[in-house]
Amino acid sequence: MSETPKKIEGITKESTQAMIDTALAAYPEKGRKKRAPHLAPNDPEGSSSCVKSNRKTVPGVMSARGCAYAGAKGVVWGPIRDMVHVSHGPVGCGWYSWGTRRNLMSGTNGVDQFGMQFTSDFQEKDIVYGGDKKLRTLLEEAHELFPLAKGISVLSECPVGLIGDDINSVAKVASKELDIPIIPCNCEGFRGVSQSLGHHISNDTIRDHIIGTREFAEPASPYDISLIGDYNIGGDVWSAKSLLEEIGLNVKSVWTGDGELEKIAATHTVKLNLIHCYRSMNYMCKVMEEKYGIPWLEFNFFGPTKIKESLRAIGARFDQTIQDKVEVAIAKYEPIMQAIIDEYKPRLEGKKVMLLVGGLRPRHTIGAYEDLGMECVGSGYEFAHNDDYERTMPEMPEATVIYDDPSEFEFEQFVHKLKPDLIGSGIKEKYVFQKMGIPFRQMHSWDYSGPYHGYQGFEVFARDIDMALNSPTWKLVKSPF
Amino acid sequence: MSETPKKIEGITKESTQAMIDTALAAYPEKGRKKRAPHLAPNDPEGSSSCVKSNRKTVPGVMSARGCAYAGAKGVVWGPIRDMVHVSHGPVGCGWYSWGTRRNLMSGTNGVDQFGMQFTSDFQEKDIVYGGDKKLRTLLEEAHELFPLAKGISVLSECPVGLIGDDINSVAKVASKELDIPIIPCNCEGFRGVSQSLGHHISNDTIRDHIIGTREFAEPASPYDISLIGDYNIGGDVWSAKSLLEEIGLNVKSVWTGDGELEKIAATHTVKLNLIHCYRSMNYMCKVMEEKYGIPWLEFNFFGPTKIKESLRAIGARFDQTIQDKVEVAIAKYEPIMQAIIDEYKPRLEGKKVMLLVGGLRPRHTIGAYEDLGMECVGSGYEFAHNDDYERTMPEMPEATVIYDDPSEFEFEQFVHKLKPDLIGSGIKEKYVFQKMGIPFRQMHSWDYSGPYHGYQGFEVFARDIDMALNSPTWKLVKSPF
Amino acid sequence: MSATESAAAVKYVTETPPEEIARVKEWINSEEYKEKNFARQALVINPAHGCQPLGAEMVAHGFEGSLPFTHGSQGCASYYRSTLNRHFREPAPAVSDSMTEDGAVFGGQNNLHEALENAVALYKPKMISIFTSCMPEVIGDDLTAFIKNAKQKGCVPEGLPVPYANTPSFNGSHVHGYDAMLLSILQTLTEGKQIEGRCTGKLNLIAGCDFNTGNYREYKRILEAFGIPCTVLGDISETFDSPCDGTYRMYAGGTKLEDAADSINGKATITLGPYATSKTFGWIKDNYSGKHASMPMPVGIEKTDAFLMKIAELFGKPVPASLKAERGRAVDAMTDAHQYIHGKKFAVYGDPDYLIAYVTFLLEMGAKPYHILCSKGSKKLEKEIQALLDASLYGKDCKIYMNKDLWHMRSLVVTDPVDAMIGDTHGKFAARDAGIPLFRFGFPIFDRVNLHRYPLVGYQGIINMITFICNKFIDIKDETCEDRFFEMMR
Amino acid sequence: MSATESAAAVKYVTETPPEEIARVKEWINSEEYKEKNFARQALVINPAHGCQPLGAEMVAHGFEGSLPFTHGSQGCASYYRSTLNRHFREPAPAVSDSMTEDGAVFGGQNNLHEALENAVALYKPKMISIFTSCMPEVIGDDLTAFIKNAKQKGCVPEGLPVPYANTPSFNGSHVHGYDAMLLSILQTLTEGKQIEGRCTGKLNLIAGCDFNTGNYREYKRILEAFGIPCTVLGDISETFDSPCDGTYRMYAGGTKLEDAADSINGKATITLGPYATSKTFGWIKDNYSGKHASMPMPVGIEKTDAFLMKIAELFGKPVPASLKAERGRAVDAMTDAHQYIHGKKFAVYGDPDYLIAYVTFLLEMGAKPYHILCSKGSKKLEKEIQALLDASLYGKDCKIYMNKDLWHMRSLVVTDPVDAMIGDTHGKFAARDAGIPLFRFGFPIFDRVNLHRYPLVGYQGIINMITFICNKFIDIKDETCEDRFFEMMR
């Protein structure tokens, strides 16, 4: 955490509040009232979150949010590579989420890796008569056609919950008969207010069905850890893992990027859980802490400053061997990082960025931008909770705007006012701002690039940010006629 | 040769002559007089050639002919793969003939295979002061940069002869100093009336500079032969060679497709020269016959009928071993050929083809078309001599039109009248006739396909002819509106 | 003993042996596997279609100032939007009324009303086009009543058109949602607009559920060449191909509402996506003035000819010389390039109207549409494609697979190989496993740029398809041939 | 002893040892080899240009009823024709007067006269455009006199224009022949046509030595959008992109002779190929009415902007909204796709005007035109390109090679690698050896179809270049990445 609050010239609590008020003025009374608590100037030293969060989205405002199913399928379950993940219900949800999150996976597609779309493709008759029987049949078919799948998840879409199907008992019976774990997950999209409940429901099912069902065959070591909340977007896990191994730790399992079911099931035997995406998986860390006494630690692998802080914090949880290796690693990478900074910083210094992403990035990436000489003039989340904002406030400069689940309207208004040099957000926002001539990076998916985690990732990140900001194409946007 | 003259319904000596006369009517007096002897109805049993040939092209008529340089560079020398062939003079000639003849070559480009463009790139000053010194320098440069080149040919373009350069003495001196064969070839484009003189000049230089300068290291065998006049268009040599080897012969050298200088130089030790392209290389066969007593035999490897005839004729020059192998090969391939014929003939039966090509194809390919049930209603050469036409007459149906070096105007007129289903000619003619909606194959270059020689080639030929004729695209040419 | 027992109870993490992986890798490419795969009854793997609301949103974007509005869960809306964003690399502004659990209990009326108020205030639409995702469909929300109430309550301004369509995701595909939404928009906008004796003199043109903006532009260019005024109904060409000039236009294009309203008085109406407009066109036939024609997408020479001749006939105007020249140039490209594609086998998949287009084009080029697969097909479609195959020498041995998915397709291309695939991005895994190129002519295209800007329809479309296909085949030859076959000319 | 001696005299056929081949294979990729290669003084290997008459023939095809006529050896004419045939996959009807050896003695007048008579009788041209190949240039034929005599003798009908140009192959390249022939044609056709006070109101546009028919069409489309009447001088767009409709048109297109004649009274004349028209444009400036402007090929946004603004200025008309929208769409394509090309290194080669175009486009996209090679360049060209490089962050470290050939280029790309090449087909060997794609934007293109139909100029040209380049880069990624990096989206 930063020591003294950062400041941005020209941004004051008043200017930010005025900007917020202007944006809110466009709403009808009711909408304005609902939205007002979600927008605020940052108070880095505030003791409680400056914005309200994790509330229902105001209807009709064009939110960036997804649903519980998206949180379950796209985030938590999808990245487990050796399972068949069945999108149970109509065809669309699974189709839209097929291959669109960039959680890279090892293995061979259809053999021991299942980055495909499995669906029960509900038809009218399934709605009327229920889909349990179909589910039962398809589980058998999946098991027969994909014998190396270590398990099957059944991810419910909206109709399943509404028509009262009992996927839990179908899964239970089938699991026994097919002799593989079949995990029912009641993550219907209408549940909760965002992806976030999908994460939680998925965490619950991992807790209930998976954790503790396996043990590692090899003997335990004091350096066994697990990497939690890294989904291997663009290869992040591979970068983070290799760094953790370089400092002497054994990454026994990853939740869930490029994940393996049985290793996840054996995670209760590790010595420390390292959590990157706090939002989606802190619950599981707490469960493992309570149930198995495993401590956990939040860390940040974006940008050399935060990586160094994090490595030392991790090292502090282990003995001198690890701590020494941490210092060796830092000493090895710092000059490389400095060279990167020397190359790009002159072209990025003083540039302003605004963020609107999910999970952890609206706060975790700030340091990486700052390493490049940039400053963050606005940040917010799609589906954060209070604790996320509490963690964000000290990272953001004073009085900069914080927005929770902003409507596209609000986001546009803020951008018009703040005139950032770069926006980091999602695909739905990307082209809106590019039309305005504003450089943009998709920061959910690393814009088809990556990894951004770890030292290896920072090089890619720096290059991408420079490319986005300094592409000569932006100079051509304004027509001379 | 065919026993009884073939006939085509509706084509008589009179109808053909009328067609010729109509075409000639468009010429001015002088041109008409010059062109008339070059066009005639075929007389399959005639004792002398029915058309005049190997005369100057009538100026201004749009001939398909090339020049002596084209005959030397493109045909004879170019295919020798392990030599650097220098187009000596201005940049164009070498550039236009670079890679445009499809004489495929083994080896690695620039290492031990030189299918590239080497030129002295004459500038104004070279015309004024002469290019001998430049030639001398470039020979050294070529030798230094391409140490594995077995020799260098110097192919003169028009200016060289006109300005009185002495490439022969430059080559002689350089050859001694660099210790590799350097062959000067005075094949200026203005010499003679067509490519044909280029072939002859090249033959002369091979005779004077190459033949007899090497011997094969391995012991001679009674089955040593040479393949003459196959330029490996689309891989023809590879197909022909493997068939000749299958019947027990040793193909010691190939003139000049995928050719090697030293093997060509040792050809005087073989037992038989097999000649495919009579036009371009019969002279060398005669030279070798006279000087070294090597008999030679014309053969035709297009289409199963001619291949069978040729194989037996070749076999007859050897002992029973070879003759037995010939019969084995025929027995092996005939059913395969029959299957091909069974597949394509029903779609090609009765279709008419017209030909205008170079070398040997206007007569040699006729049998292959006939194997597919087609008939040839017109044929002619770009640069043939009397003996070519003598060999063509018995192959062509009675009274069909024979044209020597026809102008595009004449060719068009004949096509309008005869309405062939397919035309086989060159790139300059291709698009003219395709615009008319007439299927066409480039028969100099096998239209980027091949090989067409040998049994292997017939399969490709049959497929290509079927594709050309039966492509559904032709049905779309006529607009319904 | 108890130690052993407890040890026995522990299940250890296992690794699949490499030889087992190798075995399965081979097995999934086998005929045996293909049979098992085709025996599937319940499990769908890698389908080639989305759900109805996606098509509804697409066409809703095709009208001036129209704000697409998902009545249902907000996650649905995000999925549709991002799918369109990725395909077009363009914004896709749309809202939802964010129904949540309480909707299951109380219905979605409150959400709908509140959302209408907010959307109107923030996004100032000229029309709000409502369609449904699963939740309201399952619980049985009465949209007609809800919207009537909304108007009464004043949630939407007087006169703002609010077409709506039921687009259940458990029925049909995006193609059907397109049809349903378009029908409702036209019904809404034309209501009371039919004027006895009036004729706009215009052609109404419906492109079908077509995600290629170049196609829309090509239709307009063709009609312009004819000098025939035209209203493209559901015109997404500007919406999803808007300039980048420093200004974001939330409603960048679309059919003018006035023109759409007046389309009921058109001189003629043509649909070029018969499978995507069966409901809409049925209604038009019964309700629109002027003449009506339903034709396949004008892909390939013959279908383009038919389209142009139909226009000529409907408007009593000859096909303009410029288009005739274009025809000749397209045929020229075909004859010049036929040798690079003749006899090549293709696996094709996609929405019905696209599928017919691919088959038509390939047969005209002498190529074989060898595996033809539709993941949401019909008997009618099968019959129509079979008739195309039967009419051509090159249709022999080609086979149609209705209501199969891309995992079936994978089995087909690995057991009975083809030279290339045509379809959308989702086929790339099968194409990779088969080691063949995939030509991305369908929807969605997530992994190439600009392809939606190149028309596939009309004569220019033919040239584009030839360019993409034949040059790729030549690329492959150049990249994979032995040195001795590497040549200057091709 | 004598047997041994004679045995010693026999030279046997040798085989180069494989290890020697391997050594040289490696050696030709070395820095050492590159140095030797660049030290060449006399030998030219794989040059990237043809000779003057080729360009002369090309532009001669660009006028109505014009029959290109080579005064010289017939083989030359066959070479030019087949080069054009292969590039365009179109007919290139042209004649020669088939000079042979006796020409060296007597000169070519008899051939010329006889040929004119025959050509007129058989091919009924509206103009005969004569240019020379080596032979008459070396022997010093006096074309002016020959043609005057031909007219006097009645070898050509009264009034048939017979422009002629000296186009020595030992000087310059096809680009210069284009210039010389065009100049003569314009001088011939406009002679005596200048009318005091007359203004056609038209723009005369010269494309430069451009072999892309799509570019010509694009210019005409742009002018049409402006509503400005235009005469493209040397318009090959119909000549070399004529319909296949069952009729062969020997003279399929070209600038109308009447329009060309009247061009001297034009409102303005623009050349878009300054390097290809230096003589022609110099003469035009001195002789044509109206305003004159020489501008680089409008490739890339800025140069297209400049072109449109120049037209707007010359004609006092604003740039039409439709073109402004196209600009926005091109920029949109650029911003959307920049990440697929940004920072990539290219080797580019070609004729001067093309070369400037490639460099401009790449710099606008943030790519690096790293090796820039012209086999027939000039100090002026070098300076102009250097200025482009200096003005961009992405021009840093990029190097220009004037009057080098493609064997030099090979050394460059194997020792100092790049991601791709841009040029004509002749670069394919170097590209293969370097294992990189070659984008065929130049002339000639012998091994792909239709590419000359896709404009590279104007805003549409930008989209085309992005499509070809970026999608190929993505293809490569998809085809070469490990399984774990094979993704749905790119």
Side-chain angles (χ1 to χ4, degrees), chain D residues 31-70:
Chain D
E31 276 292 338
E32 179 201 333
Y33 188 87
K34 176 174 147 191
E35 266 171 47
K36 273 189 202 299
N37 191 15
F38 271 81
R40 266 188 282 139
Q41 296 294 322
L43 180 61
V44 169
I45 311 171
N46 299 353
H49 63 278
C51 61
Q52 286 208 47
L54 175 65
E57 174 168 338
M58 185 274 266
V59 72
H61 282 291
F63 289 84
E64 177 195 10
S66 160
L67 182 67
F69 182 118
T70 303

Coordinates of all heavy atoms in Angstrom, one line a residue, chain D residues 31-70:
Chain D
E31 N 26.8 -13.1 -42.6 CA 27.2 -11.7 -42.7 C 28.4 -11.6 -43.7 O 28.4 -10.7 -44.5 CB 27.7 -11.2 -41.3 CG 26.6 -10.7 -40.4 CD 25.9 -9.4 -40.9 OE1 26.5 -8.7 -41.7 OE2 24.8 -9.2 -40.5
E32 N 29.3 -12.6 -43.6 CA 30.4 -12.6 -44.5 C 30.0 -12.6 -46.0 O 30.4 -11.8 -46.8 CB 31.3 -13.8 -44.2 CG 32.5 -13.9 -45.1 CD 33.0 -15.4 -45.2 OE1 32.8 -16.2 -44.2 OE2 33.6 -15.7 -46.2
Y33 N 29.0 -13.4 -46.2 CA 28.5 -13.5 -47.6 C 27.8 -12.2 -48.0 O 28.0 -11.7 -49.1 CB 27.5 -14.7 -47.7 CG 27.1 -15.0 -49.1 CD1 27.8 -15.8 -50.0 CD2 25.9 -14.4 -49.7 CE1 27.4 -16.0 -51.3 CE2 25.5 -14.6 -51.0 CZ 26.3 -15.4 -51.8 OH 25.9 -15.7 -53.1
K34 N 27.1 -11.7 -47.0 CA 26.4 -10.4 -47.3 C 27.4 -9.4 -47.8 O 27.1 -8.6 -48.7 CB 25.6 -10.0 -46.1 CG 24.9 -8.7 -46.2 CD 24.1 -8.4 -44.9 CE 24.1 -6.9 -44.6 NZ 23.5 -6.7 -43.2
E35 N 28.5 -9.3 -47.1 CA 29.5 -8.3 -47.5 C 30.0 -8.5 -48.9 O 30.1 -7.6 -49.7 CB 30.6 -8.3 -46.5 CG 30.4 -7.3 -45.4 CD 31.5 -7.5 -44.3 OE1 32.7 -7.6 -44.6 OE2 31.1 -7.6 -43.1
K36 N 30.3 -9.8 -49.1 CA 30.8 -10.1 -50.5 C 29.7 -9.7 -51.5 O 30.0 -9.2 -52.6 CB 31.0 -11.6 -50.6 CG 32.4 -12.0 -50.2 CD 32.7 -13.5 -50.6 CE 33.8 -14.1 -49.7 NZ 35.1 -13.4 -50.0
N37 N 28.5 -10.1 -51.2 CA 27.4 -9.8 -52.0 C 27.2 -8.4 -52.3 O 27.0 -7.9 -53.5 CB 26.1 -10.4 -51.4 CG 24.9 -10.5 -52.3 OD1 25.1 -10.4 -53.5 ND2 23.7 -10.7 -51.7
F38 N 27.3 -7.6 -51.3 CA 27.1 -6.1 -51.5 C 28.4 -5.5 -52.2 O 28.3 -4.3 -52.6 CB 26.8 -5.4 -50.1 CG 25.4 -5.4 -49.8 CD1 24.7 -6.5 -49.3 CD2 24.6 -4.3 -50.1 CE1 23.4 -6.5 -49.0 CE2 23.3 -4.2 -49.9 CZ 22.6 -5.3 -49.3
A39 N 29.4 -6.3 -52.3 CA 30.6 -5.7 -52.9 C 30.5 -5.9 -54.5 O 31.4 -5.4 -55.2 CB 31.9 -6.4 -52.4
R40 N 29.5 -6.5 -54.9 CA 29.4 -6.8 -56.4 C 29.4 -5.4 -57.2 O 28.8 -4.5 -56.7 CB 28.0 -7.4 -56.7 CG 28.1 -8.9 -56.7 CD 26.7 -9.4 -57.2 NE 25.7 -9.4 -56.2 CZ 24.4 -9.0 -56.4 NH1 24.1 -8.6 -57.6 NH2 23.6 -9.1 -55.4
Q41 N 30.2 -5.5 -58.3 CA 30.3 -4.3 -59.1 C 29.6 -4.4 -60.4 O 29.0 -3.5 -61.0 CB 31.7 -4.0 -59.4 CG 32.5 -3.6 -58.2 CD 32.1 -2.3 -57.5 OE1 31.7 -1.4 -58.2 NE2 32.1 -2.3 -56.2
A42 N 29.6 -5.7 -61.0 CA 29.1 -5.9 -62.3 C 27.9 -6.8 -62.4 O 27.0 -6.5 -63.2 CB 30.3 -6.4 -63.2
L43 N 27.9 -7.8 -61.6 CA 26.9 -8.8 -61.8 C 25.6 -8.3 -61.1 O 25.6 -7.9 -59.9 CB 27.3 -10.1 -61.2 CG 26.3 -11.3 -61.2 CD1 26.0 -11.7 -62.6 CD2 26.9 -12.5 -60.5
V44 N 24.5 -8.4 -61.8 CA 23.2 -8.1 -61.2 C 22.4 -9.4 -61.1 O 22.4 -10.2 -62.0 CB 22.4 -7.1 -62.0 CG1 21.0 -7.0 -61.6 CG2 23.1 -5.7 -61.9
I45 N 21.9 -9.7 -59.9 CA 21.2 -11.0 -59.6 C 19.8 -10.7 -59.2 O 19.6 -10.1 -58.1 CB 21.9 -11.8 -58.6 CG1 23.4 -11.9 -58.9 CG2 21.3 -13.2 -58.5 CD1 24.3 -12.5 -57.8
N46 N 18.8 -11.2 -59.9 CA 17.4 -11.0 -59.5 C 17.0 -9.6 -59.3 O 16.6 -9.1 -58.2 CB 17.1 -11.8 -58.2 CG 17.4 -13.3 -58.3 OD1 17.6 -13.8 -59.4 ND2 17.3 -14.0 -57.2
P47 N 17.2 -8.8 -60.3 CA 16.7 -7.4 -60.2 C 15.2 -7.3 -60.1 O 14.5 -8.3 -60.5 CB 17.2 -6.8 -61.5 CG 17.3 -7.9 -62.5 CD 17.7 -9.1 -61.7
A48 N 14.7 -6.2 -59.6 CA 13.3 -6.1 -59.4 C 12.7 -5.2 -60.5 O 11.7 -4.5 -60.2 CB 13.0 -5.6 -58.0
H49 N 13.2 -5.1 -61.7 CA 12.6 -4.3 -62.7 C 12.8 -4.9 -64.1 O 13.8 -5.5 -64.3 CB 13.1 -2.9 -62.6 CG 14.6 -2.8 -62.9 ND1 15.5 -3.0 -61.9 CD2 15.3 -2.5 -64.0 CE1 16.8 -2.9 -62.5 NE2 16.6 -2.5 -63.7
G50 N 11.9 -4.5 -64.9 CA 12.0 -4.9 -66.3 C 12.5 -3.7 -67.1 O 13.1 -2.8 -66.6
C51 N 12.4 -3.8 -68.5 CA 13.0 -2.8 -69.3 C 11.9 -1.8 -69.8 O 10.7 -2.1 -69.7 CB 13.8 -3.4 -70.4 SG 12.9 -4.4 -71.5
Q52 N 12.4 -0.7 -70.4 CA 11.5 0.4 -70.8 C 10.3 0.0 -71.6 O 9.2 0.4 -71.4 CB 12.3 1.5 -71.5 CG 13.2 2.3 -70.6 CD 13.4 3.7 -71.2 OE1 12.5 4.4 -71.6 NE2 14.6 4.2 -71.2
P53 N 10.5 -0.8 -72.7 CA 9.4 -1.1 -73.6 C 8.2 -1.7 -72.9 O 7.0 -1.5 -73.3 CB 9.9 -2.0 -74.6 CG 11.4 -1.9 -74.5 CD 11.7 -1.5 -73.2
L54 N 8.4 -2.4 -71.8 CA 7.3 -3.1 -71.1 C 6.3 -2.0 -70.6 O 5.1 -2.1 -70.7 CB 7.9 -3.9 -69.9 CG 6.8 -4.5 -69.0 CD1 6.0 -5.6 -69.7 CD2 7.5 -5.2 -67.8
G55 N 6.9 -1.0 -69.9 CA 6.1 0.1 -69.5 C 5.4 0.9 -70.6 O 4.2 1.3 -70.5
A56 N 6.1 1.0 -71.7 CA 5.6 1.7 -72.9 C 4.4 0.9 -73.4 O 3.3 1.5 -73.7 CB 6.7 1.8 -74.0
E57 N 4.5 -0.4 -73.5 CA 3.4 -1.2 -73.9 C 2.2 -1.1 -73.0 O 1.1 -1.0 -73.4 CB 3.8 -2.7 -74.1 CG 2.5 -3.5 -74.5 CD 2.7 -4.9 -74.9 OE1 3.8 -5.3 -75.4 OE2 1.7 -5.7 -74.8
M58 N 2.5 -1.2 -71.7 CA 1.4 -1.1 -70.8 C 0.6 0.2 -71.0 O -0.7 0.1 -71.1 CB 1.9 -1.1 -69.3 CG 0.9 -1.2 -68.2 SD 0.3 0.5 -67.7 CE 1.3 0.8 -66.3
V59 N 1.2 1.3 -71.0 CA 0.4 2.6 -71.1 C -0.2 2.7 -72.5 O -1.3 3.2 -72.7 CB 1.3 3.8 -70.8 CG1 2.3 4.1 -71.8 CG2 0.3 5.0 -70.5
A60 N 0.5 2.1 -73.5 CA -0.1 2.1 -74.9 C -1.5 1.3 -74.9 O -2.4 1.7 -75.6 CB 0.8 1.5 -75.9
H61 N -1.6 0.3 -74.0 CA -2.9 -0.4 -73.9 C -3.9 0.5 -73.3 O -5.1 0.1 -73.3 CB -2.7 -1.6 -73.0 CG -2.1 -2.8 -73.7 ND1 -2.7 -3.5 -74.7 CD2 -0.9 -3.4 -73.6 CE1 -1.9 -4.5 -75.2 NE2 -0.8 -4.5 -74.5
G62 N -3.5 1.6 -72.7 CA -4.5 2.4 -71.9 C -5.2 3.4 -72.7 O -5.8 4.3 -72.1
F63 N -5.2 3.3 -74.0 CA -5.9 4.3 -74.9 C -6.8 3.5 -75.8 O -6.4 2.4 -76.3 CB -4.9 5.2 -75.6 CG -4.2 6.2 -74.7 CD1 -3.1 5.8 -74.0 CD2 -4.8 7.4 -74.5 CE1 -2.5 6.7 -73.1 CE2 -4.2 8.3 -73.6 CZ -3.1 8.0 -72.9
E64 N -7.9 4.1 -76.1 CA -8.9 3.5 -77.0 C -8.4 3.1 -78.3 O -7.8 3.8 -79.0 CB -10.0 4.6 -77.2 CG -11.1 4.2 -78.1 CD -11.9 5.5 -78.6 OE1 -11.4 6.6 -78.3 OE2 -13.0 5.3 -79.2
G65 N -8.6 1.8 -78.6 CA -8.2 1.3 -79.9 C -6.7 1.4 -80.2 O -6.3 1.3 -81.4
S66 N -5.9 1.5 -79.2 CA -4.5 1.7 -79.4 C -3.8 0.3 -79.5 O -3.9 -0.5 -78.6 CB -3.9 2.5 -78.2 OG -2.5 2.3 -78.1
L67 N -3.0 0.1 -80.6 CA -2.3 -1.1 -80.7 C -0.8 -0.8 -80.4 O -0.1 -0.1 -81.1 CB -2.4 -1.6 -82.2 CG -1.7 -2.9 -82.5 CD1 -2.3 -4.1 -81.8 CD2 -1.6 -3.1 -84.0
P68 N -0.3 -1.5 -79.3 CA 1.1 -1.3 -79.0 C 1.9 -2.0 -80.0 O 1.6 -3.1 -80.5 CB 1.2 -2.0 -77.6 CG -0.2 -2.1 -77.1 CD -1.1 -2.2 -78.3
F69 N 3.0 -1.4 -80.4 CA 3.8 -1.8 -81.5 C 5.3 -1.7 -81.1 O 5.8 -0.7 -80.9 CB 3.5 -0.9 -82.7 CG 4.2 -1.2 -84.0 CD1 3.4 -1.5 -85.1 CD2 5.6 -1.1 -84.1 CE1 4.1 -1.8 -86.4 CE2 6.2 -1.3 -85.4 CZ 5.4 -1.7 -86.5
T70 N 5.9 -2.9 -81.1 CA 7.4 -2.9 -80.8 C 8.2 -2.8 -82.1 O 8.1 -3.7 -82.9 CB 7.8 -4.2 -80.1 OG1 7.0 -4.4 -78.9 CG2 9.3 -4.2 -79.7

